[in-house]
Amino acid sequence: MKLRTLVFRYALFAVIATLANLGAQRVVLSFREDGAALLVAIAVGTGVGLVVKYLLDKRWIFLDASTGARAHGKRFSRYTLTGVFTTAIFWGMETVFWMIWQTDLMRELGAVFGLAIGYVVKFQLDKRFVFESVAAPPAQAGTVAAEQAR
């Protein structure tokens, strides 16, 4: 897989997971819009986004064909652990934007910025600690040098 394809897929999957995250948040916030509801919405959205992104990354980014509860459990546990740090980036940005502007639009913009930064960091962590036993991610298998030479 060419570097260009890898970057496109990863960005597309980040957008899909972000939309799933924000959609789940909106569902939660449609019931209540206070501080407690915001915390629940962020947590629910993060969980939805995490599962969506894991499934897409596993299959289409890292080409991990492993199956079964044991393989998924081990990888998903590590995937979740690498997400703890990146989630702090996301939650922090979303919360700061909400505290400064106190509008849904700015909260969601903060979430988008936080998720974008977090996904870049997460790719590196996942490549190194989650999917390290899978064949090298496609862009690492010699196509990066070819792509850069163009």
Side-chain angles (χ1 to χ4, degrees):
M1 176 184 330
K2 293 182 178 180
L3 177 61
R4 203 175 337 183
T5 303
L6 177 69
V7 170
F8 174 77
R9 282 184 184 179
Y10 199 78
L12 176 64
F13 298 160
V15 168
I16 291 169
T18 298
L19 292 174
N21 182 321
L22 294 176
Q25 286 189 34
R26 283 188 177 197
V27 168
V28 171
L29 291 172
S30 71
F31 296 103
R32 267 179 56 190
E33 287 197 31
D34 58 19
L38 177 61
L39 292 176
V40 171
I42 291 171
V44 169
T46 299
V48 169
L50 177 71
V51 170
V52 167
K53 189 77 165 68
Y54 168 76
L55 293 172
L56 292 170
D57 284 355
K58 180 184 181 309
R59 169 67 177 93
W60 296 99
I61 299 298
F62 296 102
L63 308 178
D64 180 5
S66 63
T67 59
R70 187 176 196 172
H72 279 294
K74 185 176 181 181
R75 288 213 196 286
F76 187 72
S77 295
R78 286 188 278 169
Y79 191 85
T80 301
L81 284 174
T82 63
V84 169
F85 175 69
T86 57
T87 297
I89 295 168
F90 154 57
W91 281 1
M93 291 283 274
E94 183 172 9
T95 302
V96 166
F97 273 54
W98 170 254
M99 291 174 70
I100 292 170
W101 289 283
Q102 296 188 4
T103 68
D104 288 335
L105 176 64
M106 292 308 289
R107 176 187 55 77
E108 288 182 353
L109 184 61
V112 169
F113 287 151
L115 285 167
I117 294 165
Y119 282 138
V120 170
V121 172
K122 183 135 178 54
F123 174 81
Q124 295 301 320
L125 293 172
D126 291 342
K127 180 174 69 171
R128 184 173 211 174
F129 299 112
V130 178
F131 297 100
E132 79 289 348
S133 64
V134 178
Q140 302 301 316
T143 59
V144 172
E147 189 70 21
Q148 290 172 343
R150 288 184 189 184

